[in-house]
Amino acid sequence: MLLSLKMSYKAAMGEDYKADCPPDNNPSAESNSGPDATEAGEDFVDPWTVRTSSAKGIDYDKLIVQFGSSKIDKELINRIERATGQRPHHFLRRGIFFSHRDMNQVLDAYENKKPFYLYTGRGPSSEAMHVGHLIPFIFTKWLQDVFNVPLVVQMSDDEKYLWKDLTLDQAYSYTLENAKDIIACGFDVNKTFIFSDLEYMGQSPGFYKNVVKIQKHVTFNQVKGIFGFTDSDCIGKISFPAVQAAPSFSNSFPQIFRDRADIQCLIPCAIDQDPYFRMTRDVAPRINYPKPALLHSTFFPALQGAQTKMSASDPNSSIFLTDTAKQIKTKVNKHAFSGGRDTVEEHRQFGGNCDVDVSFMYLTFFLEDDDKLEQIRKDYTSGAMLTGELKKTLIDVLQPLIAEHQARRKEVTDEMVKEFMTPRPLSFHFQ
């Protein structure tokens, strides 16, 4: 709690809290915080901006301390394996999902035959999603399968309308398009409810009541501290965090959970979404709801390097789910940041650097074979494998993966989308 208060103080004042030193009333201190505060060695992460000065990417161990979450260690991974009877997903084994809040509590409940549900989401800012957007959904699909639990997916089209230069109709049309990509990941229609904020808010009094409860318990000062809002932000932005928080509480979905408010929620998401749920966990006990548990993933790096995350608005920073085999090959060969040396001779002698090589980073996400990945790491680091060969390996992994996704997406009809997005009971049983 103290850590979180110190962070709020730093966000508001632009300097670290010092116990014996009252704040300087100099208004120019304000301008020092926020996305431009990437001083040497400083990482900056919030739901809209991710920046680091290191080619290796964000220092996630530092981020765990800064955000006050817990590291996913070997012990927790083994416990997940014991509870589910399944080999842990390679995202867990490789530290792609690296941090958690209260995962042990979820496992306690599961082992005692108590129910929980999954909640994740997508902000539909463009028609095409990129491979980085798939990461939480691939993992959520695995969680749904091994734990056999219901899932709600929030499409925050209201957020994108407030933040981006979109009309309401555009934002909603992106929701429908992105929902097709999400459905193509293979979710079970009997256990999955996808909803648009713009649509569902008016259909569900339970959902709106929770939004209002959360709004009542969070002050303007708190959201300014957590999200860095300023006096010139529209009031829609200021009240939006309550909308993202509401699905964390089971009675927001009376058609699924009836009137039960005591079912815990597990949220797999990228770590930049954590500020929303820190706020949610702070509010939960005050409105007599269980705190949501979280599993955080690392960022999917942009092709140009791990200093930033991929952006859906920059076509060359990412591999889109709509890209052809030829586009994938061109993008990887032309834009993927390399950890190789300047010449073949140097590379053979000194080897490449896997810590900064984007092609290798992508393989850790998408190459499922642990032994093969380790062999590539050894060969590239020793200089036996050249950058061109590493890029070719990645292209050979990505091309079929994306072609298969496109084939599955083609089969998703408007009727299927409607079925997933209709509020209805889901098939599973609560004690």
Side-chain angles (χ1 to χ4, degrees), residues 83-86 89 110 116 118 137-151 185-189 191-192:
T84 60
Q86 303 278 340
H89 195 279
Y110 182 74
F116 73 93
L118 295 164
F137 292 109
I138 291 171
F139 189 62
T140 302
K141 160 86 170 74
W142 180 80
L143 290 170
Q144 185 183 50
D145 291 346
V146 298
F147 286 107
N148 188 23
V149 285
L151 160 69
C185 292
F187 291 106
D188 180 347
V189 68
K191 297 196 197 91
T192 308

mmCIF file of all heavy atoms in Angstrom, residues 83-86 89 110 116 118 137-151 185-189 191-192:
data_model
loop_
_atom_site.group_PDB
_atom_site.id
_atom_site.type_symbol
_atom_site.label_atom_id
_atom_site.label_comp_id
_atom_site.label_asym_id
_atom_site.label_seq_id
_atom_site.Cartn_x
_atom_site.Cartn_y
_atom_site.Cartn_z
ATOM 1 N N ALA A 83 -2.323 -28.888 -9.905
ATOM 2 C CA ALA A 83 -3.769 -28.614 -9.820
ATOM 3 C C ALA A 83 -4.495 -29.020 -11.104
ATOM 4 O O ALA A 83 -5.615 -29.534 -11.062
ATOM 5 C CB ALA A 83 -4.011 -27.137 -9.529
ATOM 6 N N THR A 84 -3.837 -28.791 -12.258
ATOM 7 C CA THR A 84 -4.536 -29.027 -13.530
ATOM 8 C C THR A 84 -4.230 -30.401 -14.123
ATOM 9 O O THR A 84 -4.954 -30.884 -14.988
ATOM 10 C CB THR A 84 -4.117 -27.972 -14.586
ATOM 11 O OG1 THR A 84 -2.692 -28.076 -14.794
ATOM 12 C CG2 THR A 84 -4.457 -26.570 -14.133
ATOM 13 N N GLY A 85 -3.121 -30.990 -13.672
ATOM 14 C CA GLY A 85 -2.713 -32.264 -14.266
ATOM 15 C C GLY A 85 -2.191 -32.105 -15.690
ATOM 16 O O GLY A 85 -2.089 -33.060 -16.440
ATOM 17 N N GLN A 86 -1.866 -30.864 -16.082
ATOM 18 C CA GLN A 86 -1.373 -30.594 -17.442
ATOM 19 C C GLN A 86 0.013 -29.954 -17.362
ATOM 20 O O GLN A 86 0.311 -29.228 -16.421
ATOM 21 C CB GLN A 86 -2.292 -29.586 -18.159
ATOM 22 C CG GLN A 86 -3.734 -30.016 -18.250
ATOM 23 C CD GLN A 86 -3.970 -30.970 -19.406
ATOM 24 O OE1 GLN A 86 -3.179 -31.031 -20.331
ATOM 25 N NE2 GLN A 86 -5.054 -31.717 -19.342
ATOM 26 N N HIS A 89 1.885 -24.233 -19.709
ATOM 27 C CA HIS A 89 2.018 -23.617 -21.035
ATOM 28 C C HIS A 89 3.421 -23.030 -21.190
ATOM 29 O O HIS A 89 4.011 -22.561 -20.208
ATOM 30 C CB HIS A 89 0.964 -22.503 -21.153
ATOM 31 C CG HIS A 89 0.748 -22.034 -22.554
ATOM 32 N ND1 HIS A 89 1.583 -21.123 -23.159
ATOM 33 C CD2 HIS A 89 -0.200 -22.345 -23.476
ATOM 34 C CE1 HIS A 89 1.148 -20.884 -24.399
ATOM 35 N NE2 HIS A 89 0.073 -21.615 -24.616
ATOM 36 N N TYR A 110 -9.731 -23.442 -6.344
ATOM 37 C CA TYR A 110 -9.915 -24.501 -7.351
ATOM 38 C C TYR A 110 -9.751 -25.886 -6.714
ATOM 39 O O TYR A 110 -10.524 -26.806 -6.974
ATOM 40 C CB TYR A 110 -8.907 -24.297 -8.486
ATOM 41 C CG TYR A 110 -9.032 -25.307 -9.606
ATOM 42 C CD1 TYR A 110 -10.092 -25.241 -10.507
ATOM 43 C CD2 TYR A 110 -8.089 -26.324 -9.763
ATOM 44 C CE1 TYR A 110 -10.216 -26.160 -11.547
ATOM 45 C CE2 TYR A 110 -8.198 -27.244 -10.796
ATOM 46 C CZ TYR A 110 -9.260 -27.160 -11.678
ATOM 47 O OH TYR A 110 -9.381 -28.068 -12.700
ATOM 48 N N PHE A 116 -14.230 -20.173 -10.032
ATOM 49 C CA PHE A 116 -13.715 -18.843 -10.371
ATOM 50 C C PHE A 116 -13.982 -18.646 -11.858
ATOM 51 O O PHE A 116 -14.431 -19.577 -12.540
ATOM 52 C CB PHE A 116 -12.226 -18.697 -10.021
ATOM 53 C CG PHE A 116 -11.259 -19.440 -10.911
ATOM 54 C CD1 PHE A 116 -10.682 -18.832 -12.016
ATOM 55 C CD2 PHE A 116 -10.907 -20.757 -10.641
ATOM 56 C CE1 PHE A 116 -9.780 -19.508 -12.835
ATOM 57 C CE2 PHE A 116 -10.003 -21.447 -11.450
ATOM 58 C CZ PHE A 116 -9.446 -20.816 -12.550
ATOM 59 N N LEU A 118 -12.662 -16.362 -15.661
ATOM 60 C CA LEU A 118 -11.609 -15.597 -16.316
ATOM 61 C C LEU A 118 -12.194 -14.326 -16.924
ATOM 62 O O LEU A 118 -13.326 -14.323 -17.398
ATOM 63 C CB LEU A 118 -10.977 -16.426 -17.444
ATOM 64 C CG LEU A 118 -10.220 -17.692 -17.027
ATOM 65 C CD1 LEU A 118 -9.993 -18.601 -18.235
ATOM 66 C CD2 LEU A 118 -8.876 -17.327 -16.394
ATOM 67 N N PHE A 137 -4.752 -13.856 -25.401
ATOM 68 C CA PHE A 137 -5.862 -14.748 -25.796
ATOM 69 C C PHE A 137 -5.407 -16.204 -25.933
ATOM 70 O O PHE A 137 -6.131 -17.123 -25.558
ATOM 71 C CB PHE A 137 -6.522 -14.239 -27.081
ATOM 72 C CG PHE A 137 -7.255 -12.949 -26.867
ATOM 73 C CD1 PHE A 137 -6.770 -11.758 -27.390
ATOM 74 C CD2 PHE A 137 -8.408 -12.909 -26.094
ATOM 75 C CE1 PHE A 137 -7.424 -10.553 -27.157
ATOM 76 C CE2 PHE A 137 -9.073 -11.712 -25.859
ATOM 77 C CZ PHE A 137 -8.585 -10.540 -26.385
ATOM 78 N N ILE A 138 -4.190 -16.409 -26.453
ATOM 79 C CA ILE A 138 -3.654 -17.779 -26.550
ATOM 80 C C ILE A 138 -3.570 -18.368 -25.139
ATOM 81 O O ILE A 138 -3.957 -19.515 -24.889
ATOM 82 C CB ILE A 138 -2.258 -17.773 -27.217
ATOM 83 C CG1 ILE A 138 -2.373 -17.393 -28.697
ATOM 84 C CG2 ILE A 138 -1.570 -19.133 -27.074
ATOM 85 C CD1 ILE A 138 -1.036 -17.149 -29.390
ATOM 86 N N PHE A 139 -3.079 -17.547 -24.205
ATOM 87 C CA PHE A 139 -2.903 -18.037 -22.835
ATOM 88 C C PHE A 139 -4.246 -18.228 -22.120
ATOM 89 O O PHE A 139 -4.454 -19.199 -21.395
ATOM 90 C CB PHE A 139 -2.005 -17.063 -22.057
ATOM 91 C CG PHE A 139 -1.594 -17.592 -20.709
ATOM 92 C CD1 PHE A 139 -0.828 -18.749 -20.611
ATOM 93 C CD2 PHE A 139 -1.969 -16.943 -19.538
ATOM 94 C CE1 PHE A 139 -0.447 -19.250 -19.370
ATOM 95 C CE2 PHE A 139 -1.587 -17.439 -18.296
ATOM 96 C CZ PHE A 139 -0.816 -18.592 -18.222
ATOM 97 N N THR A 140 -5.167 -17.288 -22.362
ATOM 98 C CA THR A 140 -6.498 -17.385 -21.737
ATOM 99 C C THR A 140 -7.226 -18.631 -22.233
ATOM 100 O O THR A 140 -7.905 -19.314 -21.459
ATOM 101 C CB THR A 140 -7.325 -16.113 -22.057
ATOM 102 O OG1 THR A 140 -6.599 -14.977 -21.586
ATOM 103 C CG2 THR A 140 -8.677 -16.141 -21.370
ATOM 104 N N LYS A 141 -7.055 -18.936 -23.516
ATOM 105 C CA LYS A 141 -7.662 -20.147 -24.083
ATOM 106 C C LYS A 141 -7.124 -21.395 -23.358
ATOM 107 O O LYS A 141 -7.859 -22.310 -23.019
ATOM 108 C CB LYS A 141 -7.333 -20.198 -25.589
ATOM 109 C CG LYS A 141 -7.445 -21.565 -26.250
ATOM 110 C CD LYS A 141 -8.860 -21.856 -26.724
ATOM 111 C CE LYS A 141 -8.952 -23.086 -27.596
ATOM 112 N NZ LYS A 141 -8.826 -24.349 -26.906
ATOM 113 N N TRP A 142 -5.807 -21.401 -23.112
ATOM 114 C CA TRP A 142 -5.201 -22.532 -22.390
ATOM 115 C C TRP A 142 -5.781 -22.623 -20.970
ATOM 116 O O TRP A 142 -6.149 -23.705 -20.508
ATOM 117 C CB TRP A 142 -3.675 -22.373 -22.358
ATOM 118 C CG TRP A 142 -2.980 -23.492 -21.641
ATOM 119 C CD1 TRP A 142 -2.688 -24.734 -22.130
ATOM 120 C CD2 TRP A 142 -2.490 -23.479 -20.291
ATOM 121 N NE1 TRP A 142 -2.056 -25.491 -21.174
ATOM 122 C CE2 TRP A 142 -1.917 -24.745 -20.036
ATOM 123 C CE3 TRP A 142 -2.479 -22.517 -19.267
ATOM 124 C CZ2 TRP A 142 -1.336 -25.084 -18.818
ATOM 125 C CZ3 TRP A 142 -1.906 -22.854 -18.050
ATOM 126 C CH2 TRP A 142 -1.344 -24.119 -17.825
ATOM 127 N N LEU A 143 -5.879 -21.479 -20.298
ATOM 128 C CA LEU A 143 -6.440 -21.470 -18.934
ATOM 129 C C LEU A 143 -7.879 -21.984 -18.935
ATOM 130 O O LEU A 143 -8.286 -22.751 -18.059
ATOM 131 C CB LEU A 143 -6.399 -20.050 -18.342
ATOM 132 C CG LEU A 143 -5.018 -19.480 -17.992
ATOM 133 C CD1 LEU A 143 -5.134 -17.990 -17.662
ATOM 134 C CD2 LEU A 143 -4.391 -20.219 -16.815
ATOM 135 N N GLN A 144 -8.667 -21.530 -19.924
ATOM 136 C CA GLN A 144 -10.062 -21.966 -20.004
ATOM 137 C C GLN A 144 -10.137 -23.494 -20.174
ATOM 138 O O GLN A 144 -10.959 -24.156 -19.554
ATOM 139 C CB GLN A 144 -10.772 -21.285 -21.178
ATOM 140 C CG GLN A 144 -12.264 -21.606 -21.248
ATOM 141 C CD GLN A 144 -12.945 -20.991 -22.467
ATOM 142 O OE1 GLN A 144 -12.478 -21.127 -23.595
ATOM 143 N NE2 GLN A 144 -14.048 -20.309 -22.238
ATOM 144 N N ASP A 145 -9.235 -24.029 -21.010
ATOM 145 C CA ASP A 145 -9.233 -25.475 -21.265
ATOM 146 C C ASP A 145 -8.814 -26.281 -20.041
ATOM 147 O O ASP A 145 -9.460 -27.263 -19.687
ATOM 148 C CB ASP A 145 -8.303 -25.817 -22.446
ATOM 149 C CG ASP A 145 -8.851 -25.298 -23.770
ATOM 150 O OD1 ASP A 145 -10.041 -24.918 -23.809
ATOM 151 O OD2 ASP A 145 -8.091 -25.257 -24.760
ATOM 152 N N VAL A 146 -7.715 -25.871 -19.387
ATOM 153 C CA VAL A 146 -7.199 -26.718 -18.299
ATOM 154 C C VAL A 146 -8.014 -26.582 -17.005
ATOM 155 O O VAL A 146 -8.140 -27.540 -16.255
ATOM 156 C CB VAL A 146 -5.691 -26.491 -18.003
ATOM 157 C CG1 VAL A 146 -4.843 -26.833 -19.207
ATOM 158 C CG2 VAL A 146 -5.403 -25.089 -17.514
ATOM 159 N N PHE A 147 -8.570 -25.395 -16.759
ATOM 160 C CA PHE A 147 -9.364 -25.229 -15.533
ATOM 161 C C PHE A 147 -10.857 -25.460 -15.777
ATOM 162 O O PHE A 147 -11.630 -25.570 -14.830
ATOM 163 C CB PHE A 147 -9.164 -23.823 -14.942
ATOM 164 C CG PHE A 147 -7.827 -23.630 -14.272
ATOM 165 C CD1 PHE A 147 -6.838 -22.861 -14.867
ATOM 166 C CD2 PHE A 147 -7.554 -24.215 -13.043
ATOM 167 C CE1 PHE A 147 -5.602 -22.681 -14.252
ATOM 168 C CE2 PHE A 147 -6.316 -24.043 -12.413
ATOM 169 C CZ PHE A 147 -5.343 -23.271 -13.024
ATOM 170 N N ASN A 148 -11.261 -25.464 -17.063
ATOM 171 C CA ASN A 148 -12.662 -25.653 -17.434
ATOM 172 C C ASN A 148 -13.573 -24.633 -16.733
ATOM 173 O O ASN A 148 -14.478 -24.981 -15.968
ATOM 174 C CB ASN A 148 -13.096 -27.096 -17.086
ATOM 175 C CG ASN A 148 -14.480 -27.402 -17.639
ATOM 176 O OD1 ASN A 148 -14.922 -26.760 -18.595
ATOM 177 N ND2 ASN A 148 -15.172 -28.339 -17.037
ATOM 178 N N VAL A 149 -13.292 -23.345 -16.993
ATOM 179 C CA VAL A 149 -14.044 -22.268 -16.340
ATOM 180 C C VAL A 149 -14.609 -21.299 -17.388
ATOM 181 O O VAL A 149 -14.120 -21.249 -18.515
ATOM 182 C CB VAL A 149 -13.152 -21.461 -15.357
ATOM 183 C CG1 VAL A 149 -12.886 -22.240 -14.089
ATOM 184 C CG2 VAL A 149 -11.845 -21.040 -16.008
ATOM 185 N N PRO A 150 -15.631 -20.520 -16.993
ATOM 186 C CA PRO A 150 -16.187 -19.537 -17.922
ATOM 187 C C PRO A 150 -15.244 -18.341 -18.119
ATOM 188 O O PRO A 150 -14.391 -18.078 -17.281
ATOM 189 C CB PRO A 150 -17.482 -19.092 -17.237
ATOM 190 C CG PRO A 150 -17.292 -19.390 -15.805
ATOM 191 C CD PRO A 150 -16.368 -20.560 -15.718
ATOM 192 N N LEU A 151 -15.458 -17.641 -19.237
ATOM 193 C CA LEU A 151 -14.616 -16.499 -19.591
ATOM 194 C C LEU A 151 -15.492 -15.354 -20.075
ATOM 195 O O LEU A 151 -16.420 -15.573 -20.852
ATOM 196 C CB LEU A 151 -13.653 -16.914 -20.718
ATOM 197 C CG LEU A 151 -13.017 -15.800 -21.574
ATOM 198 C CD1 LEU A 151 -12.012 -14.988 -20.766
ATOM 199 C CD2 LEU A 151 -12.327 -16.389 -22.804
ATOM 200 N N CYS A 185 -9.296 -17.890 -32.114
ATOM 201 C CA CYS A 185 -8.319 -18.533 -31.213
ATOM 202 C C CYS A 185 -8.849 -19.860 -30.671
ATOM 203 O O CYS A 185 -8.107 -20.607 -30.033
ATOM 204 C CB CYS A 185 -7.976 -17.614 -30.041
ATOM 205 S SG CYS A 185 -7.048 -16.158 -30.539
ATOM 206 N N GLY A 186 -10.149 -20.118 -30.888
ATOM 207 C CA GLY A 186 -10.677 -21.434 -30.518
ATOM 208 C C GLY A 186 -11.470 -21.484 -29.218
ATOM 209 O O GLY A 186 -11.621 -22.551 -28.629
ATOM 210 N N PHE A 187 -11.972 -20.339 -28.758
ATOM 211 C CA PHE A 187 -12.739 -20.350 -27.495
ATOM 212 C C PHE A 187 -14.037 -21.139 -27.636
ATOM 213 O O PHE A 187 -14.639 -21.190 -28.707
ATOM 214 C CB PHE A 187 -13.038 -18.914 -27.037
ATOM 215 C CG PHE A 187 -11.808 -18.175 -26.592
ATOM 216 C CD1 PHE A 187 -11.243 -17.182 -27.380
ATOM 217 C CD2 PHE A 187 -11.179 -18.505 -25.404
ATOM 218 C CE1 PHE A 187 -10.090 -16.522 -26.989
ATOM 219 C CE2 PHE A 187 -10.030 -17.852 -24.993
ATOM 220 C CZ PHE A 187 -9.483 -16.859 -25.787
ATOM 221 N N ASP A 188 -14.456 -21.719 -26.516
ATOM 222 C CA ASP A 188 -15.674 -22.538 -26.478
ATOM 223 C C ASP A 188 -16.884 -21.620 -26.298
ATOM 224 O O ASP A 188 -17.007 -20.936 -25.291
ATOM 225 C CB ASP A 188 -15.557 -23.526 -25.304
ATOM 226 C CG ASP A 188 -16.767 -24.427 -25.175
ATOM 227 O OD1 ASP A 188 -17.805 -24.153 -25.806
ATOM 228 O OD2 ASP A 188 -16.674 -25.419 -24.415
ATOM 229 N N VAL A 189 -17.789 -21.624 -27.272
ATOM 230 C CA VAL A 189 -18.948 -20.720 -27.244
ATOM 231 C C VAL A 189 -19.843 -20.994 -26.026
ATOM 232 O O VAL A 189 -20.528 -20.096 -25.526
ATOM 233 C CB VAL A 189 -19.754 -20.814 -28.570
ATOM 234 C CG1 VAL A 189 -20.443 -22.173 -28.707
ATOM 235 C CG2 VAL A 189 -20.769 -19.687 -28.684
ATOM 236 N N LYS A 191 -18.813 -21.543 -23.099
ATOM 237 C CA LYS A 191 -18.198 -21.051 -21.854
ATOM 238 C C LYS A 191 -17.649 -19.635 -22.009
ATOM 239 O O LYS A 191 -16.908 -19.165 -21.161
ATOM 240 C CB LYS A 191 -17.046 -21.978 -21.446
ATOM 241 C CG LYS A 191 -17.457 -23.396 -21.119
ATOM 242 C CD LYS A 191 -16.347 -24.110 -20.368
ATOM 243 C CE LYS A 191 -16.539 -25.614 -20.386
ATOM 244 N NZ LYS A 191 -15.878 -26.236 -21.520
ATOM 245 N N THR A 192 -17.971 -18.961 -23.125
ATOM 246 C CA THR A 192 -17.351 -17.658 -23.395
ATOM 247 C C THR A 192 -18.398 -16.607 -23.756
ATOM 248 O O THR A 192 -19.247 -16.844 -24.615
ATOM 249 C CB THR A 192 -16.351 -17.771 -24.579
ATOM 250 O OG1 THR A 192 -15.448 -18.852 -24.316
ATOM 251 C CG2 THR A 192 -15.555 -16.495 -24.745
#
